Amino acid sequence: MARIPTALLAAGGLGGGFALAQATKKRELGGVVFAAATAAALPRWRQAVGTGGAAALTGLSVGALGASHPLAKKIGAWPSVAVVSGVVAATAWATVDRRA
């Protein structure tokens, strides 16, 4: 997994989790995908930006997941997922992946 950019892991966890939840009608499966992707990115975040930075990136990811729900009511589900995934991916790239 070390070759996969953490930005892709983070965005994939959000987008892939939503896609799976939508396809199966089981939100908890989407949560598993999101959690697994975040867990895969976490060690590299910690190595690159320390524990505090990794906690901030994890918090951003969890916050984005939460923010996607009310945003979806305004702009639609997939556009909302795209926006929050883009924000998390851009942040992960700027703080971690760009340095690698």
Short mmCIF file of all heavy atoms in Angstrom, two decimals, residues 26-76:
data_model
loop_
_atom_site.label_atom_id
_atom_site.label_comp_id
_atom_site.label_asym_id
_atom_site.label_seq_id
_atom_site.Cartn_x
_atom_site.Cartn_y
_atom_site.Cartn_z
N LYS A 26 -26.64 -0.89 2.50
CA LYS A 26 -26.14 -1.16 3.85
C LYS A 26 -25.06 -0.12 4.17
O LYS A 26 -23.91 -0.26 3.75
CB LYS A 26 -25.57 -2.58 3.93
CG LYS A 26 -26.63 -3.64 3.71
CD LYS A 26 -26.10 -5.01 4.03
CE LYS A 26 -27.08 -6.09 3.73
NZ LYS A 26 -28.28 -6.07 4.49
N ARG A 27 -25.46 0.89 4.91
CA ARG A 27 -24.55 1.99 5.23
C ARG A 27 -23.31 1.52 6.00
O ARG A 27 -22.23 2.06 5.84
CB ARG A 27 -25.28 3.07 6.03
CG ARG A 27 -26.36 3.76 5.21
CD ARG A 27 -27.11 4.75 6.02
NE ARG A 27 -26.27 5.92 6.25
CZ ARG A 27 -26.67 7.02 6.86
NH1 ARG A 27 -27.91 7.10 7.30
NH2 ARG A 27 -25.86 8.02 7.04
N GLU A 28 -23.49 0.49 6.82
CA GLU A 28 -22.35 0.03 7.61
C GLU A 28 -21.23 -0.54 6.73
O GLU A 28 -20.05 -0.44 7.09
CB GLU A 28 -22.78 -1.00 8.66
CG GLU A 28 -23.48 -2.23 8.13
CD GLU A 28 -24.98 -2.08 7.91
OE1 GLU A 28 -25.54 -0.98 8.13
OE2 GLU A 28 -25.61 -3.07 7.52
N LEU A 29 -21.56 -1.09 5.57
CA LEU A 29 -20.51 -1.56 4.66
C LEU A 29 -19.70 -0.39 4.12
O LEU A 29 -18.48 -0.48 3.96
CB LEU A 29 -21.11 -2.37 3.51
CG LEU A 29 -21.70 -3.72 3.88
CD1 LEU A 29 -22.29 -4.40 2.65
CD2 LEU A 29 -20.66 -4.60 4.54
N GLY A 30 -20.37 0.70 3.85
CA GLY A 30 -19.66 1.92 3.44
C GLY A 30 -18.74 2.41 4.53
O GLY A 30 -17.62 2.85 4.28
N GLY A 31 -19.20 2.30 5.77
CA GLY A 31 -18.37 2.69 6.90
C GLY A 31 -17.13 1.83 7.05
O GLY A 31 -16.05 2.32 7.40
N VAL A 32 -17.26 0.56 6.73
CA VAL A 32 -16.11 -0.35 6.78
C VAL A 32 -15.07 0.06 5.75
O VAL A 32 -13.87 0.10 6.04
CB VAL A 32 -16.55 -1.82 6.58
CG1 VAL A 32 -15.36 -2.73 6.37
CG2 VAL A 32 -17.38 -2.29 7.77
N VAL A 33 -15.51 0.38 4.55
CA VAL A 33 -14.59 0.82 3.49
C VAL A 33 -13.90 2.11 3.91
O VAL A 33 -12.67 2.25 3.80
CB VAL A 33 -15.32 1.00 2.15
CG1 VAL A 33 -14.43 1.68 1.12
CG2 VAL A 33 -15.81 -0.34 1.63
N PHE A 34 -14.67 3.06 4.42
CA PHE A 34 -14.10 4.33 4.88
C PHE A 34 -13.07 4.11 5.98
O PHE A 34 -11.96 4.65 5.94
CB PHE A 34 -15.23 5.25 5.36
CG PHE A 34 -14.73 6.48 6.07
CD1 PHE A 34 -14.18 7.51 5.35
CD2 PHE A 34 -14.81 6.59 7.45
CE1 PHE A 34 -13.71 8.66 5.99
CE2 PHE A 34 -14.34 7.71 8.10
CZ PHE A 34 -13.79 8.75 7.36
N ALA A 35 -13.43 3.29 6.96
CA ALA A 35 -12.52 3.02 8.09
C ALA A 35 -11.25 2.31 7.63
O ALA A 35 -10.14 2.65 8.08
CB ALA A 35 -13.23 2.20 9.16
N ALA A 36 -11.38 1.37 6.73
CA ALA A 36 -10.21 0.63 6.24
C ALA A 36 -9.27 1.55 5.46
O ALA A 36 -8.04 1.48 5.64
CB ALA A 36 -10.65 -0.54 5.37
N ALA A 37 -9.82 2.40 4.63
CA ALA A 37 -8.98 3.32 3.86
C ALA A 37 -8.28 4.32 4.78
O ALA A 37 -7.09 4.62 4.59
CB ALA A 37 -9.82 4.05 2.81
N THR A 38 -8.99 4.83 5.76
CA THR A 38 -8.39 5.76 6.71
C THR A 38 -7.31 5.07 7.53
O THR A 38 -6.23 5.63 7.74
CB THR A 38 -9.48 6.37 7.62
OG1 THR A 38 -10.48 6.99 6.80
CG2 THR A 38 -8.89 7.40 8.56
N ALA A 39 -7.58 3.85 7.95
CA ALA A 39 -6.59 3.08 8.72
C ALA A 39 -5.34 2.80 7.88
O ALA A 39 -4.22 2.79 8.42
CB ALA A 39 -7.20 1.78 9.22
N ALA A 40 -5.52 2.60 6.59
CA ALA A 40 -4.37 2.34 5.72
C ALA A 40 -3.52 3.60 5.55
O ALA A 40 -2.29 3.53 5.44
CB ALA A 40 -4.84 1.83 4.37
N ALA A 41 -4.15 4.75 5.53
CA ALA A 41 -3.43 6.02 5.34
C ALA A 41 -2.78 6.49 6.65
O ALA A 41 -1.74 7.16 6.62
CB ALA A 41 -4.37 7.09 4.82
N LEU A 42 -3.36 6.16 7.77
CA LEU A 42 -2.94 6.70 9.06
C LEU A 42 -1.45 6.52 9.38
O LEU A 42 -0.80 7.50 9.79
CB LEU A 42 -3.80 6.11 10.17
CG LEU A 42 -3.60 6.68 11.57
CD1 LEU A 42 -3.87 8.18 11.59
CD2 LEU A 42 -4.52 5.97 12.55
N PRO A 43 -0.85 5.35 9.20
CA PRO A 43 0.57 5.24 9.53
C PRO A 43 1.46 6.16 8.70
O PRO A 43 2.43 6.73 9.21
CB PRO A 43 0.91 3.77 9.25
CG PRO A 43 -0.40 3.06 9.24
CD PRO A 43 -1.42 4.07 8.82
N ARG A 44 1.13 6.33 7.45
CA ARG A 44 1.93 7.22 6.61
C ARG A 44 1.69 8.68 6.97
O ARG A 44 2.60 9.50 6.90
CB ARG A 44 1.63 6.95 5.14
CG ARG A 44 2.18 5.56 4.81
CD ARG A 44 2.05 5.10 3.40
NE ARG A 44 2.19 6.10 2.39
CZ ARG A 44 1.46 6.09 1.27
NH1 ARG A 44 0.56 5.14 1.06
NH2 ARG A 44 1.63 7.01 0.37
N TRP A 45 0.48 9.02 7.37
CA TRP A 45 0.21 10.37 7.84
C TRP A 45 1.03 10.63 9.09
O TRP A 45 1.66 11.68 9.21
CB TRP A 45 -1.27 10.56 8.13
CG TRP A 45 -2.15 10.63 6.91
CD1 TRP A 45 -1.76 10.80 5.62
CD2 TRP A 45 -3.57 10.54 6.88
NE1 TRP A 45 -2.85 10.82 4.79
CE2 TRP A 45 -3.98 10.66 5.55
CE3 TRP A 45 -4.54 10.35 7.86
CZ2 TRP A 45 -5.31 10.61 5.15
CZ3 TRP A 45 -5.87 10.31 7.47
CH2 TRP A 45 -6.25 10.44 6.14
N ARG A 46 1.03 9.68 10.01
CA ARG A 46 1.76 9.84 11.27
C ARG A 46 3.26 9.99 10.99
O ARG A 46 3.93 10.83 11.60
CB ARG A 46 1.51 8.66 12.19
CG ARG A 46 2.09 8.90 13.58
CD ARG A 46 1.81 7.76 14.55
NE ARG A 46 0.40 7.44 14.61
CZ ARG A 46 -0.10 6.21 14.50
NH1 ARG A 46 0.70 5.18 14.33
NH2 ARG A 46 -1.39 6.00 14.58
N GLN A 47 3.78 9.19 10.10
CA GLN A 47 5.21 9.26 9.77
C GLN A 47 5.57 10.61 9.14
O GLN A 47 6.61 11.17 9.44
CB GLN A 47 5.57 8.14 8.81
CG GLN A 47 7.03 8.09 8.45
CD GLN A 47 7.34 6.96 7.48
OE1 GLN A 47 6.50 6.56 6.68
NE2 GLN A 47 8.54 6.44 7.56
N ALA A 48 4.69 11.13 8.29
CA ALA A 48 4.99 12.37 7.57
C ALA A 48 4.76 13.63 8.39
O ALA A 48 5.54 14.57 8.30
CB ALA A 48 4.17 12.44 6.28
N VAL A 49 3.68 13.65 9.17
CA VAL A 49 3.32 14.90 9.86
C VAL A 49 3.13 14.74 11.36
O VAL A 49 2.63 15.65 12.02
CB VAL A 49 2.05 15.53 9.22
CG1 VAL A 49 2.33 15.99 7.81
CG2 VAL A 49 0.86 14.58 9.25
N GLY A 50 3.52 13.60 11.90
CA GLY A 50 3.44 13.39 13.33
C GLY A 50 2.04 12.99 13.78
O GLY A 50 1.08 12.99 13.00
N THR A 51 1.95 12.68 15.04
CA THR A 51 0.69 12.21 15.61
C THR A 51 -0.40 13.28 15.53
O THR A 51 -1.54 12.99 15.18
CB THR A 51 0.89 11.76 17.07
OG1 THR A 51 1.87 10.71 17.07
CG2 THR A 51 -0.40 11.26 17.68
N GLY A 52 -0.03 14.51 15.84
CA GLY A 52 -1.02 15.59 15.79
C GLY A 52 -1.54 15.83 14.38
O GLY A 52 -2.74 16.02 14.18
N GLY A 53 -0.62 15.83 13.43
CA GLY A 53 -1.03 16.02 12.03
C GLY A 53 -1.89 14.87 11.53
O GLY A 53 -2.88 15.08 10.81
N ALA A 54 -1.52 13.65 11.93
CA ALA A 54 -2.32 12.48 11.54
C ALA A 54 -3.71 12.55 12.16
O ALA A 54 -4.71 12.22 11.52
CB ALA A 54 -1.61 11.20 11.95
N ALA A 55 -3.77 13.00 13.41
CA ALA A 55 -5.07 13.15 14.07
C ALA A 55 -5.91 14.21 13.36
O ALA A 55 -7.12 14.03 13.19
CB ALA A 55 -4.88 13.51 15.54
N ALA A 56 -5.26 15.28 12.93
CA ALA A 56 -5.98 16.34 12.21
C ALA A 56 -6.51 15.83 10.87
O ALA A 56 -7.66 16.11 10.50
CB ALA A 56 -5.08 17.55 12.00
N LEU A 57 -5.70 15.06 10.16
CA LEU A 57 -6.15 14.51 8.87
C LEU A 57 -7.28 13.50 9.08
O LEU A 57 -8.25 13.47 8.30
CB LEU A 57 -4.99 13.87 8.13
CG LEU A 57 -4.03 14.85 7.47
CD1 LEU A 57 -2.72 14.17 7.09
CD2 LEU A 57 -4.68 15.49 6.25
N THR A 58 -7.18 12.71 10.12
CA THR A 58 -8.25 11.76 10.43
C THR A 58 -9.52 12.51 10.80
O THR A 58 -10.61 12.16 10.35
CB THR A 58 -7.82 10.81 11.57
OG1 THR A 58 -6.63 10.12 11.16
CG2 THR A 58 -8.91 9.82 11.91
N GLY A 59 -9.37 13.54 11.62
CA GLY A 59 -10.53 14.36 11.98
C GLY A 59 -11.16 15.03 10.77
O GLY A 59 -12.39 15.11 10.67
N LEU A 60 -10.32 15.50 9.85
CA LEU A 60 -10.84 16.09 8.62
C LEU A 60 -11.64 15.06 7.84
O LEU A 60 -12.72 15.37 7.33
CB LEU A 60 -9.69 16.65 7.77
CG LEU A 60 -10.10 17.19 6.40
CD1 LEU A 60 -10.99 18.43 6.55
CD2 LEU A 60 -8.86 17.52 5.58
N SER A 61 -11.12 13.85 7.74
CA SER A 61 -11.83 12.79 7.01
C SER A 61 -13.17 12.47 7.65
O SER A 61 -14.19 12.37 6.95
CB SER A 61 -10.97 11.52 6.95
OG SER A 61 -9.82 11.74 6.21
N VAL A 62 -13.18 12.31 8.96
CA VAL A 62 -14.42 12.01 9.66
C VAL A 62 -15.39 13.19 9.55
O VAL A 62 -16.58 13.01 9.31
CB VAL A 62 -14.15 11.64 11.14
CG1 VAL A 62 -15.43 11.52 11.93
CG2 VAL A 62 -13.34 10.35 11.20
N GLY A 63 -14.86 14.39 9.70
CA GLY A 63 -15.69 15.58 9.54
C GLY A 63 -16.28 15.70 8.14
O GLY A 63 -17.43 16.09 7.97
N ALA A 64 -15.47 15.35 7.15
CA ALA A 64 -15.95 15.40 5.77
C ALA A 64 -17.08 14.40 5.55
O ALA A 64 -18.07 14.70 4.88
CB ALA A 64 -14.81 15.11 4.80
N LEU A 65 -16.93 13.22 6.13
CA LEU A 65 -17.99 12.22 6.04
C LEU A 65 -19.28 12.77 6.64
O LEU A 65 -20.35 12.67 6.03
CB LEU A 65 -17.57 10.94 6.76
CG LEU A 65 -18.58 9.81 6.79
CD1 LEU A 65 -18.85 9.28 5.39
CD2 LEU A 65 -18.08 8.69 7.70
N GLY A 66 -19.17 13.38 7.80
CA GLY A 66 -20.35 13.97 8.43
C GLY A 66 -20.92 15.14 7.65
O GLY A 66 -22.13 15.27 7.49
N ALA A 67 -20.04 15.98 7.12
CA ALA A 67 -20.48 17.15 6.36
C ALA A 67 -21.13 16.79 5.04
O ALA A 67 -21.93 17.56 4.50
CB ALA A 67 -19.31 18.10 6.13
N SER A 68 -20.79 15.63 4.52
CA SER A 68 -21.35 15.25 3.22
C SER A 68 -22.86 15.05 3.29
O SER A 68 -23.55 15.27 2.30
CB SER A 68 -20.68 13.98 2.69
OG SER A 68 -21.03 12.84 3.45
N HIS A 69 -23.37 14.68 4.43
CA HIS A 69 -24.81 14.42 4.54
C HIS A 69 -25.65 15.69 4.40
O HIS A 69 -26.54 15.73 3.55
CB HIS A 69 -25.10 13.68 5.84
CG HIS A 69 -24.53 12.30 5.85
ND1 HIS A 69 -23.23 12.05 6.22
CD2 HIS A 69 -25.04 11.11 5.49
CE1 HIS A 69 -22.99 10.75 6.10
NE2 HIS A 69 -24.07 10.16 5.66
N PRO A 70 -25.41 16.74 5.18
CA PRO A 70 -26.21 17.95 4.97
C PRO A 70 -25.90 18.62 3.62
O PRO A 70 -26.79 19.21 3.00
CB PRO A 70 -25.85 18.86 6.14
CG PRO A 70 -24.59 18.33 6.71
CD PRO A 70 -24.55 16.87 6.36
N LEU A 71 -24.67 18.51 3.17
CA LEU A 71 -24.33 19.08 1.87
C LEU A 71 -25.09 18.37 0.75
O LEU A 71 -25.51 19.00 -0.22
CB LEU A 71 -22.82 19.00 1.63
CG LEU A 71 -22.29 19.62 0.35
CD1 LEU A 71 -22.62 21.12 0.28
CD2 LEU A 71 -20.79 19.40 0.24
N ALA A 72 -25.30 17.07 0.90
CA ALA A 72 -26.04 16.30 -0.11
C ALA A 72 -27.47 16.81 -0.27
O ALA A 72 -28.02 16.76 -1.38
CB ALA A 72 -26.04 14.83 0.25
N LYS A 73 -28.04 17.31 0.80
CA LYS A 73 -29.41 17.84 0.71
C LYS A 73 -29.46 19.11 -0.13
O LYS A 73 -30.48 19.46 -0.68
CB LYS A 73 -29.96 18.11 2.11
CG LYS A 73 -30.18 16.83 2.88
CD LYS A 73 -30.70 17.09 4.27
CE LYS A 73 -30.86 15.74 4.97
NZ LYS A 73 -31.39 15.86 6.29
N LYS A 74 -28.32 19.79 -0.24
CA LYS A 74 -28.27 21.04 -1.00
C LYS A 74 -27.83 20.83 -2.45
O LYS A 74 -28.34 21.48 -3.35
CB LYS A 74 -27.34 22.02 -0.32
CG LYS A 74 -27.79 22.45 1.06
CD LYS A 74 -26.91 23.55 1.60
CE LYS A 74 -27.29 23.96 2.98
NZ LYS A 74 -28.63 24.45 3.16
N ILE A 75 -26.86 19.92 -2.66
CA ILE A 75 -26.31 19.79 -4.02
C ILE A 75 -26.42 18.39 -4.60
O ILE A 75 -26.02 18.16 -5.74
CB ILE A 75 -24.83 20.25 -4.08
CG1 ILE A 75 -23.92 19.34 -3.25
CG2 ILE A 75 -24.70 21.70 -3.64
CD1 ILE A 75 -22.44 19.64 -3.41
N GLY A 76 -26.93 17.44 -3.85
CA GLY A 76 -27.05 16.07 -4.33
C GLY A 76 -25.98 15.18 -3.71
O GLY A 76 -24.92 15.66 -3.30
#
